[in-house]
Amino acid sequence: MTRHLVQATLLALAAATPAFSDTAPKDVVFEEGAVAQSLTGNPGNPEEGVKVMTTNALGNCVACHVVGALPDVQFPGNIAPPLDGVADRYSEAQLRGIVANAKMTFDGSFMPAFYKTDGFIRPGNGYTGKAAEGELPPILNAAQIEDVVAYLVTLKE
Amino acid sequence: MQQRKATWLAATALGLALTGMAMADPAEDTLSVETDDGTIDFVTQTAAPEFLKGHLDTIYSGWLFREDETRALQKDDFDNPAMVFYDRGVDRWNATIGKNGESCAGCHQGPESMAGLRAVMPRVDEKSGKLMIMEDYINNCVTERMGLEKWGTTSNEMKDMLSVISMQSRGQIVNVKIDGAAAPFWEKGKEIYYTRYGQLEMSCANCHEDHYGQMIRADHLSQGQINGFPTYRLKDAGMVSAQQRFVGCVRDTRAETFKAGSDEFKALELYVASRGNGLSVEGVSVRH
């Protein structure tokens, strides 16, 4: 039991830590909102992407978006456009740009920037209400962004 | 008492089950409460104050955004779980708790002497020129006139007393002053309201002006009005003051919050209260 817990923790740490070859948040190149290069240099895993999108502590995209292809998600929000068919509307590069920092595509968007580490007003330490210590990690790491993008490109109608 | 408790639990469970439905708009419902002094009809929706032109046409009480069961609890004082805290506050109002045996009642007579005050708070104190929230007036008496340590801004004794004083203006129309000496505080509060804080970069307006009526996950967004405060929150099974609610909302943007009772949140309370000018003080309300 204890060993399992330790292993789970190590795994979680591995997932949250950026890998060497990742493009750092500050080095991401946006062209009209789109990001052409994979942030990890590798394709993402769409199943992991679903997990990121539906987990509160990670992307929690379903707080605002409905995804018809994920009917088991409880209480999706309806603040933002449904994500069904999103791969017909945007290229992979555009989707990567929207997930990394939607404000580069939609001026003043309500959608949070998931791969951004500075320029915040009174940044907090997670949801503690206390001040952040040092530079914040992005909400999602490069691999998680790629996983989400890998799932989004499957959403064709 | 046991009976009462069971009703709230059932209401909470139902509330949770119902929030999944896509309820878009405020409910079509009206709020009236029978009291010993007759029926009180509450204004829960009305034309927005002039300064909100271009932002909102109509303002709505948060009551209209809660599920049927939660709204029902506020229609009957016997079902309203906040009344327990009001009762407890009245006892403290009468108790000789001061260093030399002073009580609130000793100086102010009955709580009715506070009628009307809640509807115009926060306000600038004429003598000191300071912006006062109700907690400041209460703590002035607690420390200067009763010789006690000041009460915590969000402590239980404070929220009980807020409940007592708010109930004295139940049904009165919120009419907070925003000009004259209040103007600079109001401007500061307005700036805070529209600032996008935290790693999620969200302002009060993003949720409560741009998206009220919509669902953010299981939460049905209201306009974030404070005419109902203090409120009994079913989720917390306790009273919540406006200052406390602000802390929670800013924390949810992954921001460093301001402190309850800080100059920033006092200014914000003045501004948010003024967005509800025209709605009724609900005394003590019930929210999910």
Side-chain angles (χ1 to χ4, degrees), chain B residues 197-253:
Chain B
Y197 290 110
Q199 193 172 15
L200 298 184
E201 299 177 277
M202 289 177 182
S203 68
C204 311
N206 283 145
C207 284
H208 296 294
E209 184 171 287
D210 302 340
H211 293 290
Y212 74 86
Q214 290 176 298
M215 304 297 295
I216 188 157
R217 201 82 199 244
D219 286 313
H220 191 200
L221 282 170
S222 71
Q223 289 183 342
Q225 296 284 359
I226 54 173
N227 58 301
F229 278 69
T231 189
Y232 181 90
R233 194 156 181 238
L234 296 164
K235 247 185 223 170
D236 302 341
M239 298 302 288
V240 175
S241 64
Q243 290 285 317
Q244 208 174 0
R245 184 74 232 204
F246 297 166
V247 171
C249 277
V250 174
R251 187 184 52 214
D252 286 349
T253 68

Side-chain angles (χ1 to χ4, degrees), chain A residues 56 63 75 78 109 121-122, chain B residues 20 196 198 215 217 254 256:
Chain A
N56 276 2
F75 313 138
N78 62 2
S109 182
I121 303 171
R122 296 179 71 86
Chain B
R196 300 183 68 162
M215 304 297 295
R217 201 82 199 244
R254 294 198 189 207
E256 177 190 5

